[in-house]
């Protein structure tokens, strides 16, 4: 099993800097024991103009069988004698990927203590692998490597037998990559894509493999057009792990597009406690008010935008009047908790056909949200910076445009009634603002006017005669929903004449 990395240089920037990057001196042969054989690192050539480092892995077939325990790990699954007769000793696979990460560990991390400026420099690289399994052929090799910035990707099919060309090509290719990249990026790509192309691994897949994939894929995998296939094959088609990887990659992609850190987006769940607003009766009354408004609107297909841990989705599924319920949140942790709450894995086929949990950000338009009867944003808008609200407004009211939109948010005036809340503090550490009733109505009125909705307001919780209700709700409706679209406000916060406050 063989791999070479070649670079070129000048007298000022010699190619032998490759030795610093790989932490292997060009004048010495390095031998390291691996779990399934022995890895050799040496330099066939090392001059200022051109330097080549070679990694040769000698696989011990006996160790491979013993560690595989006769269950096929490390062996091709094509024949009954696979554990004894297979291509592992000569075809690049996860064995070579593991050796790569062990022998060139520091280079993979992009570290060089002696020359710390080198890892961040892109340099001309040529990578050659004489025998690479490619389940999917040369076309798949190009689909995987072409988007990664290589100037040349050549995958030459290897004939089954050169003496008998009529037999056709084998599933192996000779791979040549050329381009100007950082060495760490090239090594990380190879670490992930070698087992992906082979579509097999020599060890059991555990949950920590997701972390390995994301670390090696940092900076390139989230935006790769084949990240679904890469994740599935790398994780040996383990559905749950693949789903976890794709959700986390989507969060990375959203964070990159948003110019934010992943932690800033994935903050919807406080793992130390349930994030439902206390006291609990208010949370229950809020859901009851939302359900009543949805029933009044005659909604059947409902979006819960910013669904959090799935409390509202769970309540909606209990009513057969709702034929489709979609919960969306940017937080992977929140969606995982929602799935556990709903017991999606144990849910019957008919019930599971009514519900979907999807990851997404309300800062962007999303075609998946179009065509629904109603959308709910329950305690969502206050988690956004005010300058981000126009993007949410367009995504919901302009692009998705459900017939009914329900928005609930805290009434900051009521905060003086919370004995446990210090003066001047918001109710949740992630709240970017909390509005008075007047501020909320001004915002809702302007949104309704811009996007052709009518809007009415309803109190949620006990309506204090001085400071109003703890939660305020706006009910936006279009003309198609069967209500009068030119309504601007309906003040239900103030008691009618003859009614008690």
């Amino acid at each position: 099993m063989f791999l070479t990395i070649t670079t070129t240089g000048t007298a000022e920037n010699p190619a032998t800097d490759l030795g610093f990057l790989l932490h292997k001196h060009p004048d010495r042969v390095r031998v390291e024991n691996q779990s399934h054989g022995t890895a050799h690192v040496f330099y066939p050539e090392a001059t200022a103009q051109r330097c080549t480092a070679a990694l040769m892995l000698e696989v011990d077939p006996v160790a491979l069988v013993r560690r595989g325990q006769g269950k096929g790990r490390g062996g091709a699954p094509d024949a009954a004698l696979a554990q004894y007769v297979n291509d592992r000793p000569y075809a690049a696979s996860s064995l070579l990927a593991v050796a790569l990460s062990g022998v060139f560990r520091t280079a993979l991390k992009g570290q060089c203590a002696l020359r710390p400026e080198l890892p961040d420099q892109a340099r001309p690289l040529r990578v050659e692998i004489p025998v690479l399994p490619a389940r999917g052929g040369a076309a798949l090799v190009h689909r995987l490597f072409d988007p990664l910035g290589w100037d040349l990707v050549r995958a030459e099919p290897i004939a089954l037998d050169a003496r008998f060309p009529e037999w056709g090509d084998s599933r192996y290719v000779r791979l040549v990559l050329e381009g100007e990249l950082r060495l760490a990026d090239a090594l990380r790509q190879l670490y992930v894509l070698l087992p992906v192309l082979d579509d097999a691994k020599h060890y059991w897949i555990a949950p920590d493999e997701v972390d390995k994939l994301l670390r090696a894929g940092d900076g390139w995998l989230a935006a790769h057009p084949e990240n679904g296939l890469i994740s599935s094959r790398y994780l040996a088609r383990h559905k749950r792990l693949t789903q976890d990887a794709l959700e986390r990659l989507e969060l990375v992609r959203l964070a990159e597009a948003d110019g934010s850190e992943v932690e800033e987006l994935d903050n919807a769940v406080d793992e130390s406690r349930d994030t439902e607003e206390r006291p609990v009766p208010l949370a229950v009354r809020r859901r009851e008010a939302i359900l009543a408004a949805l029933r009044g609107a005659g909604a059947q297909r409902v979006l819960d935008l910013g669904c959090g841990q799935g409390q509202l989705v769970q309540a909606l599924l209990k009513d057969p009047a709702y034929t489709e319920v979609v919960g969306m949140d940017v937080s992977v942790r929140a969606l995982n908790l929602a799935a556990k709450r709903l017991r999606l894995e144990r849910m019957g086929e008919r019930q599971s056909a009514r519900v979907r949990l999807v990851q997404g950000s309300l800062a962007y338009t999303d075609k998946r949200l179009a065509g629904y009867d109603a959308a709910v944003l329950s305690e969502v808008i206050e988690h956004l910076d005010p300058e981000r609200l126009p993007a949410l407004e367009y995504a919901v009211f302009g692009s998705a445009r459900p017939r009914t939109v329900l928005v609930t948010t805290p009434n900051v005036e009521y905060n003086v009634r919370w004995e446990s809340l210090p003066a001047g503090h918001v109710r949740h550490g992630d709240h970017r603002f909390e509005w008075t009733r007047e501020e909320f109505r001004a915002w809702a009125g302007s949104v309704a006017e811009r996007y052709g909705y009518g809007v009415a307001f309803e109190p949620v919780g006990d309506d204090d005669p001085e400071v109003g209700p703890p939660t305020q709700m706006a009910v936006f409706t279009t003309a198609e929903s069967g209500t009068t679209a030119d309504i601007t406000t309906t003040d239900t916060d103030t008691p009618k004449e003859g009614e008690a406050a």
Side-chain angles (χ1 to χ4, degrees):
M1 204 180 296
F2 199 66
L3 174 150
T4 61
I5 302 172
T6 301
T7 187
T8 56
T10 63
E12 295 77 21
N13 297 292
T16 48
D17 283 348
L18 184 63
F20 286 100
L21 285 166
L22 295 176
H23 286 250
K24 302 292 182 290
H25 198 286
D27 292 337
R28 302 169 190 160
V29 175
R30 183 71 172 267
V31 179
E32 294 192 12
N33 292 325
Q34 301 289 307
S35 59
H36 295 89
T38 305
H40 305 262
V41 180
F42 55 95
Y43 290 77
E45 56 182 335
T47 67
Q49 290 72 37
R50 184 179 173 90
C51 184
T52 298
L55 170 62
M56 182 177 71
L57 179 63
E58 287 186 296
V59 175
D60 181 352
V62 176
L64 192 64
V65 173
R66 286 175 176 172
R67 289 182 177 274
Q69 300 176 344
K71 296 181 181 179
R73 284 192 292 180
D78 303 326
L81 294 176
Q83 59 177 318
Y84 301 104
V85 182
N86 56 64
D87 61 1
R88 301 300 86 174
Y90 62 85
S93 64
S94 60
L95 289 165
L96 184 59
V98 170
L100 197 73
S101 68
V103 175
F104 299 143
R105 182 183 302 107
T106 308
L108 267 164
K109 294 179 180 178
Q111 299 174 352
C112 181
L114 293 177
R115 299 281 300 280
E117 78 280 1
L118 291 181
D120 289 331
Q121 297 175 2
R123 61 185 57 248
L125 297 176
R126 177 183 173 92
V127 177
E128 296 185 57
I129 302 177
V131 183
L132 174 66
R135 294 182 184 271
L140 179 59
V141 176
H142 282 279
R143 283 164 51 196
L144 295 182
F145 282 101
D146 283 348
L148 296 177
W150 295 96
D151 299 326
L152 170 70
V153 177
R154 188 163 69 237
E156 302 172 356
I158 299 175
L160 280 171
D161 194 321
R163 297 170 299 173
F164 302 97
E166 64 273 16
W167 289 3
D169 295 328
S170 68
R171 66 181 181 90
Y172 304 96
V173 300
R174 174 177 176 267
L175 177 66
V176 178
L177 304 171
E178 290 184 359
E180 192 162 322
L181 283 80
R182 297 192 317 151
L183 179 63
D185 294 335
L187 293 176
R188 289 169 185 165
Q189 294 168 15
L190 292 170
Y191 174 77
V192 172
L193 297 181
L194 290 183
V196 167
L197 284 164
D198 186 32
D199 201 13
K201 279 202 169 183
H202 68 280
Y203 56 88
W204 298 126
I205 301 300
D208 64 348
E209 288 295 303
V210 176
D211 296 326
K212 294 180 185 178
L213 173 63
L214 296 183
R215 281 197 300 269
D218 184 31
W220 63 272
L221 184 54
H224 198 293
E226 298 290 346
N227 60 19
L229 180 144
I230 292 170
S231 300
S232 177
R233 284 194 174 194
Y234 183 88
L235 298 167
R237 291 183 166 82
H238 193 298
K239 291 184 178 180
R240 184 177 298 177
L241 296 181
T242 301
Q243 181 182 3
D244 181 25
L246 291 176
E247 288 173 345
R248 291 168 64 179
L249 285 170
E250 176 64 10
L251 191 62
V252 171
R253 188 191 66 79
L254 290 170
E256 289 176 349
D258 197 46
S260 306
E261 296 295 329
V262 171
E263 292 76 12
E264 293 180 22
L265 291 178
D266 200 13
N267 61 3
V269 178
D270 181 348
E271 293 178 334
S272 65
R273 59 186 175 90
D274 194 321
T275 57
E276 276 196 308
E277 186 179 87
R278 296 189 178 186
V280 174
L282 176 59
V284 173
R285 294 176 71 175
R286 185 166 55 238
R287 283 198 292 276
E288 289 175 347
I290 291 170
L291 293 171
L294 290 174
R295 285 193 296 269
Q300 294 181 316
R301 302 174 67 238
V302 179
L303 300 166
D304 183 8
L305 304 178
C307 64
Q309 300 176 49
Q311 292 94 331
L312 179 60
V313 172
Q314 185 179 45
L316 289 167
L317 288 176
K318 293 179 180 179
D319 189 339
Y322 301 107
T323 59
E324 184 178 357
V325 180
V326 176
M328 189 179 87
D329 205 287
V330 73
S331 170
V332 175
R333 288 180 292 168
L335 291 172
N336 287 337
L337 288 173
K340 291 179 181 179
R341 178 186 294 275
L342 299 173
R343 299 182 180 178
L344 287 183
E345 292 186 353
R346 303 179 183 178
M347 191 175 286
E349 182 177 351
R350 180 176 297 181
Q351 185 79 331
S352 64
R354 297 172 57 212
V355 61
R356 280 191 301 140
L357 297 178
V358 300
Q359 185 186 27
S361 169
L362 292 176
Y364 306 97
T365 58
D366 193 328
K367 294 179 180 179
R368 297 175 298 177
L369 306 183
Y372 285 83
D373 299 329
V376 178
L377 292 93
S378 180
E379 312 302 282
V380 170
I381 60 171
E382 63 273 9
H383 290 271
L384 296 178
D385 292 317
E387 60 268 21
R388 306 295 302 279
L389 284 177
L392 174 144
E393 294 162 11
Y394 179 75
V396 176
F397 296 91
S399 177
R401 199 166 179 78
R403 295 183 313 191
T404 300
V405 181
L406 307 181
V407 179
T408 73
T409 192
N411 168 24
V412 70
E413 297 170 77
Y414 192 88
N415 287 359
V416 297
R417 296 293 189 256
W418 297 109
E419 296 181 359
S420 59
L421 186 65
H425 284 235
V426 293
R427 299 184 195 177
H428 187 284
D430 189 53
H431 285 186
R432 309 305 169 89
F433 62 85
E434 288 179 356
W435 278 334
T436 65
R437 287 170 290 175
E438 182 179 354
E439 289 171 331
F440 181 53
R441 293 183 182 202
W443 171 81
S446 65
V447 170
E449 184 177 357
R450 282 198 305 275
Y451 294 103
Y453 280 78
V455 61
F457 299 91
E458 297 181 10
V460 178
D462 295 332
D463 195 357
D464 189 287
E466 295 181 3
V467 296
T471 296
Q472 44 194 339
M473 180 167 72
V475 181
F476 297 85
T477 53
T478 62
E480 305 90 77
S481 63
T483 60
T484 304
D486 59 0
I487 295 175
T488 54
T489 61
T490 299
D491 190 349
T492 55
D493 289 349
T494 304
K496 296 179 182 178
E497 185 177 354
E499 291 183 354

